[in-house]
Amino acid sequence: MTGACKLWHLGALEPEWEARFEPKSYGFRPGRGCHDAIGAIYSTLIRKNPQRVWVLDADLMAAFDRIDHERLMAALGTFPARGLVRQ
């Protein structure tokens, strides 16, 4: 897949999926980075009696290389840019 094609797909998928991400997710998200994650962790842990005292760091390298295309298309449903994915 060429760089231009990847950008085309990103433009089709990102608006829909970005809205579904957990607000506390920081990996590979527009406008977010590791320093933002560290700041959020620090802010949570310095509180008096924090409810959460654990952090999950997961490396999903190549996880998206094995996505079932038909299942992905079914999950996309009818969102407006769905047709761009098939190109």
Side-chain angles (χ1 to χ4, degrees), residues 8-72:
W8 188 272
H9 285 96
L10 179 65
L13 296 173
E14 187 175 51
E16 174 77 12
W17 290 101
E18 184 64 24
R20 295 181 187 200
F21 274 120
E22 168 66 35
K24 294 179 179 84
S25 173
Y26 290 87
F28 301 103
R29 305 243 337 253
R32 293 180 174 217
C34 62
H35 290 97
D36 299 311
I38 292 168
I41 292 166
Y42 179 78
S43 296
T44 298
L45 295 177
I46 64 167
R47 291 181 190 148
K48 209 177 215 180
N49 303 319
Q51 293 180 352
R52 293 181 179 91
V53 293
W54 51 268
V55 176
L56 172 64
D57 179 25
D59 185 358
L60 304 175
M61 188 171 126
F64 298 104
D65 295 345
R66 298 180 193 88
I67 290 179
D68 180 337
H69 186 74
E70 293 304 317
R71 187 170 180 181
L72 172 64

